[in-house]
Amino acid sequence: IEVDQLFDPANNGPIIINATDITANGGFGIRTRGDEDDTAITVTGTLQSGGATGIYATSTTGNIMIRGGGTGIINGGDSGIIADTRFLPLGGNVVISDFTAVTSVDTGIWALADTGTVNIDSIGSVNTGGHGVLVNSTGTVSVGQTAAMGPIFSGQNGIFIEQLFDSSSNGSIFASA
């Protein structure tokens, strides 16, 4: 599934995707490029992508919410989930939650939100060759605060949170696995 709103920003609305099982042998399972409204993606079955990221969502000014409904499984041929709202100064917030498992060759879950908040909760397990969870944001970051993360098996850092700028306005960080 691919949705691209960047070519006609005046006529865009929110992006809402509800999916069960997706197999993308040569590309992204879900790829969105939102402009001015929120993006909401829910996957309640198994999403399999070969050679590309399972879910890759970008938004220039809106928020991104990616949920697994408590039963979703992501198998990414590259990264598992990428949510990118780092379009200053109006970037949005990121929420990623409720997946049974995220498996990938590279980073499991990567959230980029220059000034927005990031909440990653209720992920059953992460098994990846790269970072398990990678967050780049100067906003408030919460990983596993509402419901702790399950086991993380990673080839690099289990949870890596990087506040991109040396600023007195950086938000607070909470991480639990």
Side-chain angles (χ1 to χ4, degrees):
I1 298 172
E2 183 168 359
V3 178
D4 190 342
Q5 294 183 332
L6 297 181
F7 292 109
D8 188 12
N11 294 310
N12 291 329
I15 297 172
I16 301 170
I17 296 173
N18 294 308
T20 52
D21 295 324
I22 295 175
T23 300
N25 292 321
F28 299 107
I30 297 173
R31 177 66 171 109
T32 63
R33 294 171 189 89
D35 189 44
E36 296 185 12
D37 279 308
D38 293 344
T39 298
I41 299 169
T42 301
V43 176
T44 56
T46 299
L47 184 148
Q48 177 73 41
S49 67
T53 297
I55 299 173
Y56 192 157
T58 57
S59 180
T60 58
T61 59
N63 302 310
I64 297 174
M65 287 116 339
I66 302 174
R67 295 189 167 95
T71 58
I73 297 171
I74 304 297
N75 295 315
D78 184 35
S79 293
I81 298 170
I82 298 176
D84 185 353
T85 64
R86 61 190 164 125
F87 298 92
L88 288 171
L90 302 173
N93 304 315
V94 173
V95 173
I96 301 171
S97 65
D98 301 318
F99 283 93
T100 301
V102 176
T103 302
S104 66
V105 174
D106 198 3
T107 300
I109 298 169
W110 188 3
L112 303 99
D114 279 344
T115 58
T117 62
V118 174
N119 295 302
I120 301 172
D121 278 307
S122 300
I123 308 295
S125 67
V126 177
N127 191 342
T128 180
H131 298 296
V133 176
L134 174 59
V135 178
N136 304 119
S137 175
T138 60
T140 298
V141 176
S142 167
V143 178
Q145 186 166 11
T146 302
M149 301 284 290
I152 298 173
F153 305 98
S154 66
Q156 295 180 9
N157 296 303
I159 299 173
F160 180 29
I161 300 169
E162 180 180 35
Q163 290 193 314
L164 301 174
F165 307 107
D166 183 18
S167 171
S168 61
S169 62
N170 284 350
S172 61
I173 297 173
F174 179 92
S176 174

